[in-house]
Each structure stands twice: as C-alpha cells, then as structure tokens.
Amino acid sequence: MSGDIERLGDAALMRLALEEAQAAAAAGDVPVGAVAVLAGAVIARQHNHKEEWNDPTAHAEILLLREVANRLGRWRLPDVTIYCTMEPCPMCAGAMVQARIGRLVYAVDDPRAGAAGSVFNLLQSPQLNHRVEITRGVLAEEAKAQLDAFFAMLRRRGQGEGQPDVEALTAGAEAAGAGE
C-alpha cells in the first residue's frame, strides 16, 4: 500500500516537471522539465533554456541544481529528490553525483545520451564517490508524447530553418495529450 502512495506522489510531482517541459517547448526548446523536492515540498522548478540563452549547459537539471544550492546555501543535496521528464545526460548526471543528490525520478529513457542506465550509468557507478537512487518510467508515456510532438513539429518545419513555430508546437503537444 505504501508503494502505491509513493507512486501517486511521484506522478503528481512528475506532472509539475511536465508543465516545465511544456514551458521549454513553448519557448522553442527541447521539452525537458525538472522539479526539486525537499521534505515533501517543491523548492524549485526549471526547464531547458539552451536555445533561448544559446548556452549548451542550460539544461533543466543543471539550472535546477544551481537554484536549489543557492536557495539552501549548500552544494551537498543528499536530502533532495529531482523529478525530470527525461533521463539525464552525462553532464547532468555528473552534476547530480557532485551534488550528492539522494534520488532521481525520471519519465523517459534517453537511448542516445542517457546516463542513468540507458547508455551509461554515472549515477550508480561504483567508481564514483556517490550513488543516486533512481526511479524510472514515471509518466513515461506523457513525456514521450511531448518529445514526439516537439520533434515532429521540427521535422515538419525542416531542420535548420530557425526557431520552431511556438503555436504549432503547443497545439501539437496538446493534441498528443502531453502535460495532462
């Protein structure tokens, strides 16, 4: 029974991350969102800003970790859980290890650059000084629908033609049932 309650909590918190992912998509960025939770309370929310800021490090998870560390006044975050719509890349997973994050909950695997078990597993590597508890697949279908709608819109527009059409993206994501 307690496992069911925990999963419901994870799903509700992942929905907040999906809202952040939708904000990234509406701004023309890959729809990845992240939420940080401490003692059951949401303490920060972020989404990708790579395109908007022209910054390859402006991933939702990196921005979230910076915000949480600043708010808490410490860089060690073992009591923080991160909810993310997509499996972290090696940069983000490495930052989570450095921050000593206690737990990561993510929605969809990243078969190209995932570093929580799909391609690499930096978060649980015995060679590193810290291991992060991982919960996979929470609201994976919803997160996949957001990503699929975003990349389908990019393909329709043709790659390399500038920023995506925000209205088409938002309509496509809503039609796919993303962010429900």
Side-chain angles (χ1 to χ4, degrees), residues 2-177:
S2 66
D4 292 338
I5 294 169
E6 182 174 283
R7 278 194 296 276
L8 290 173
D10 284 350
L13 292 161
M14 186 61 74
R15 287 194 192 292
L16 297 176
L18 287 166
E19 289 175 10
E20 286 297 318
Q22 188 58 39
D29 215 319
V30 175
V32 176
V35 172
V37 175
L38 174 66
V42 174
I43 57 172
R45 296 170 59 152
Q46 279 291 342
H47 58 269
N48 277 358
H49 286 278
K50 287 174 26 176
E51 298 296 331
E52 179 183 358
W53 297 350
N54 291 314
D55 180 351
T57 68
H59 290 206
E61 304 96 320
I62 295 293
L63 300 174
L64 186 75
L65 289 172
R66 287 178 184 156
E67 183 177 339
V68 170
N70 284 331
R71 283 188 180 185
L72 297 178
R74 57 186 167 95
W75 62 268
R76 288 180 188 89
L77 307 171
D79 47 354
V80 173
T81 297
I82 302 292
Y83 290 82
C84 190
T85 59
M86 183 177 228
E87 179 181 10
C89 71
M91 174 182 69
C92 295
M96 288 180 192
V97 170
Q98 290 299 311
R100 298 354 181 231
I101 291 297
R103 181 173 178 235
L104 167 69
V105 179
Y106 75 87
V108 66
D109 289 338
D110 182 353
R112 292 182 152 193
S118 291
V119 179
F120 309 101
N121 194 346
L122 292 177
L123 294 175
Q124 296 180 329
S125 173
Q127 288 82 19
L128 299 177
N129 64 327
H130 178 74
R131 280 165 277 305
V132 177
E133 179 186 337
I134 302 169
T135 301
R136 298 170 171 84
V138 175
L139 300 184
E141 290 180 21
E142 290 90 333
K144 184 176 182 326
Q146 277 186 327
L147 289 161
D148 288 349
F150 179 81
F151 288 113
M153 185 277 308
L154 286 182
R155 284 189 295 277
R156 283 192 304 275
R157 287 189 45 111
Q159 293 180 345
E161 292 183 20
Q163 292 294 321
D165 179 352
V166 174
E167 288 180 29
L169 170 63
T170 304
E174 289 171 3

